[in-house]
């Protein structure tokens, strides 16, 4: 049995202690793509955002936000997306991919501000967004929607809405009204489609963020259903940590001859994290080792990842019995409970 942990300090104002325990893994970039366009990109910081032909309102927002030089994924993806190409991009979390897909799609919207329906007309009509961003989790959807709000701060009449599970329907329906940009988790989006609170036939750009995580969570059928509902779109952008076979298969079903871009980070793991592998003889031995490590004088705070919700609850109880301050956190809990525990 192998047991791994990643160890790092958490901000001093954090309110809980924990341990990080994650499966050992490695990302492998596959290079056989049947002759499709494929670009493996090394880091380059030669450009600035001013070099991109982005709408003036977006350039103003970038200056306000302090954006100067694009990251590699932004440098490679933004020009291709501005040309209207479908993109399949392999890039790690934290690489700046949110701006890589928001800026070029918002640029198209910015150029058509004069053709938008009036706010009053949009509030009366069923919401029909031009840009649809799909995220695997509510936390990511909230983050992406906040980034989008920052980018459109100088665009007139553009409304952003985030819809996700775990929130009251009535409140989200009100927030959804008149939105041209919708950031959503797949399940809640389909619920609102079925309730006729949103229609997707006017979507021009569909973005799938963290596609690999989507498939891990079982959203494959939901993604294809949404793809069919947004069948009139002009462009699809898909971002994933790897070009695994299942991602290629999903892209083939949802995309039109996508250009592939792979961003090389130069390392497969975060260099700020020390990783240690512990070999154990069984579950009891692993539990004792974990408890011993937690009680170390140099461990103040940590996060533990367990393989199932049941294991999470069980491990939290056992660590609490050992005298540690622990809370469990998983998807089966109501959102209000999760917020309180965080």
């Amino acid at each position: 049995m192998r047991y791994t942990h990643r160890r790092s300090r958490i901000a001093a104002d954090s309110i809980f202690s924990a341990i990080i325990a994650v499966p050992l893994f490695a990302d492998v970039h596959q290079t056989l793509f049947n002759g499709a366009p494929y670009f493996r990109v090394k880091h380059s910081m030669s450009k600035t955002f001013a070099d991109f032909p982005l709408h003036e309102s977006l350039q103003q927002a970038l200056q306000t936000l302090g954006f100067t030089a694009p990251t590699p994924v932004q440098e490679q993806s933004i020009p291709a997306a501005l040309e209207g190409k479908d993109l399949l991009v392999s890039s790690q979390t934290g690489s700046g991919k949110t701006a890589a897909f928001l800026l070029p799609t918002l640029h198209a919207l910015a150029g058509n501000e004069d053709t938008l329906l009036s706010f009053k007309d949009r509030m009366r009509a069923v919401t029909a967004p031009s840009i649809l961003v799909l995220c695997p989790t509510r936390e990511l959807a909230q983050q992406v929607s906040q980034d989008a709000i920052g980018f459109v701060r100088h665009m007139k009449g553009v409304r952003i809405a985030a819809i996700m599970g775990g929130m009251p329907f009535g409140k989200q329906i009100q927030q959804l009204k008149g939105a041209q940009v919708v950031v959503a988790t797949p399940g809640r989006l389909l619920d609102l489609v079925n309730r006729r609170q949103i229609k997707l036939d006017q979507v021009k750009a569909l973005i799938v963020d963290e596609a690999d995580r989507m498939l891990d969570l079982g959203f494959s059928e939901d993604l294809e259903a949404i793809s069919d509902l947004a069948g009139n779109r002009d462009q699809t952008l898909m971002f994933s940590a790897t070009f695994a076979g299942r991602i290629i298969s999903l892209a083939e079903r949802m995309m039109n001859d996508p250009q592939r871009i792979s961003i090389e980070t130069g390392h497969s793991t975060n260099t700020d994290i020390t990783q240690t592998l512990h070999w154990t003889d069984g579950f009891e031995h692993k539990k004792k080792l974990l408890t011993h490590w937690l009680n170390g004088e140099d461990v103040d705070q940590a996060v533990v990842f367990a393989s199932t919700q049941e294991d999470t609850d069980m491990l939290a109880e056992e660590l609490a019995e050992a005298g540690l301050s622990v809370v469990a956190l998983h998807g089966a809990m109501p959102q209000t409970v999760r917020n309180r525990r965080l």
Side-chain angles (χ1 to χ4, degrees):
M1 179 181 295
R2 291 188 299 174
Y3 170 69
T4 69
H5 69 260
R6 291 180 179 179
R7 184 170 175 179
S8 64
R9 295 285 178 176
I10 303 174
D13 58 353
S14 297
I15 59 173
F16 61 90
S17 300
I19 300 149
I20 297 176
V22 297
L24 189 67
F25 69 92
D27 289 332
V28 179
H29 286 284
Q30 300 186 15
T31 57
L32 299 178
F33 292 124
N34 299 320
Y38 171 52
F39 299 85
R40 182 174 287 274
V41 181
K42 292 185 179 294
H43 281 198
S44 171
M45 303 298 280
S46 59
K47 287 189 176 182
T48 67
F49 280 102
D51 296 321
F52 296 132
L54 293 169
H55 191 270
E56 181 182 353
S57 62
L58 291 173
Q59 292 287 6
Q60 189 176 355
L62 289 169
Q63 291 179 7
T64 302
L65 294 167
F67 283 49
T68 53
T71 66
V73 67
Q74 294 162 359
E75 183 175 342
Q76 297 299 318
S77 300
I78 290 175
L82 286 171
E83 293 175 7
K85 297 177 181 178
D86 280 12
L87 298 183
L88 177 57
V89 182
S90 172
S91 180
Q92 298 295 321
T93 298
S95 61
K97 57 187 173 61
T98 302
F101 60 70
L102 283 178
L103 289 173
T105 50
L106 289 171
H107 169 79
L109 191 62
N112 295 307
E113 286 176 283
D114 294 338
T115 65
L116 295 174
L117 291 174
S118 69
F119 177 75
K120 186 180 293 185
D121 288 340
R122 284 189 280 120
M123 293 299 285
R124 284 198 296 258
V126 175
T127 300
S130 297
I131 299 171
L132 176 61
V133 184
L134 300 177
C135 300
T137 66
R138 61 175 61 86
E139 291 79 13
L140 182 59
Q142 290 170 332
Q143 176 186 322
V144 171
S145 66
Q146 288 302 310
D147 289 341
I149 290 170
F151 290 141
V152 303
R153 62 178 60 194
H154 300 295
M155 292 171 61
K156 295 180 180 179
V158 176
R159 185 176 172 88
I160 312 291
I163 55 176
M164 61 208 76
M167 304 293 287
F169 268 104
K171 182 178 180 181
Q172 289 200 337
I173 289 171
Q174 283 301 114
Q175 293 174 342
L176 189 61
K177 285 291 185 181
Q180 300 98 333
V181 181
V182 170
V183 184
T185 53
R188 177 53 62 92
L189 177 64
L190 289 174
D191 286 341
L192 290 170
V193 168
N194 292 333
R195 292 176 181 230
R196 299 184 180 180
Q197 297 298 324
I198 184 173
K199 56 183 181 180
L200 306 180
D201 58 337
Q202 295 182 41
V203 169
K204 298 300 181 185
L206 173 64
I207 300 145
V208 181
D209 193 12
E210 297 197 0
D212 46 345
R213 182 64 173 150
M214 291 276 199
L215 298 185
D216 289 342
L217 294 173
F219 286 134
S220 178
E221 292 184 3
D222 287 351
L223 289 177
E224 293 189 47
I226 293 168
S227 177
D228 290 341
L229 290 167
N232 296 329
R233 66 187 181 276
D234 299 324
Q235 186 177 45
T236 307
L237 308 178
M238 186 177 294
F239 287 73
S240 173
T242 68
F243 281 147
R246 58 187 186 149
I247 300 299
I248 301 302
S249 178
L250 178 66
E252 289 173 348
R253 298 193 297 273
M254 293 182 60
M255 307 181 78
N256 180 27
D257 190 25
Q259 176 178 315
R260 292 168 182 163
I261 298 174
S262 177
I263 306 301
E264 289 186 342
T265 61
H267 50 78
S268 60
T269 59
N270 191 324
T271 56
D272 294 330
I273 297 176
T274 300
Q275 300 190 44
T276 307
L277 171 64
H278 295 280
W279 294 94
T280 69
D281 298 325
F283 179 76
E284 289 301 319
H285 183 196
K286 181 171 70 171
K287 186 172 63 176
K288 290 179 180 179
L289 181 62
L290 177 60
T291 304
H292 171 75
W293 182 80
L294 276 177
N295 281 305
E297 293 183 358
D298 59 338
V299 177
D300 296 326
Q301 301 162 327
V303 178
V304 176
F305 292 100
S307 57
T308 67
Q309 295 171 356
E310 183 178 354
D311 287 347
T312 300
D313 289 330
M314 180 182 68
L315 185 58
E317 290 179 6
E318 291 179 347
L319 292 175
E321 290 175 358
L324 296 165
S325 177
V326 184
V327 294
L329 190 68
H330 54 68
M333 297 175 178
Q335 184 65 32
T336 53
V337 174
R338 276 182 278 177
N339 290 342
R340 186 165 60 250
R341 293 192 174 186
L342 282 173

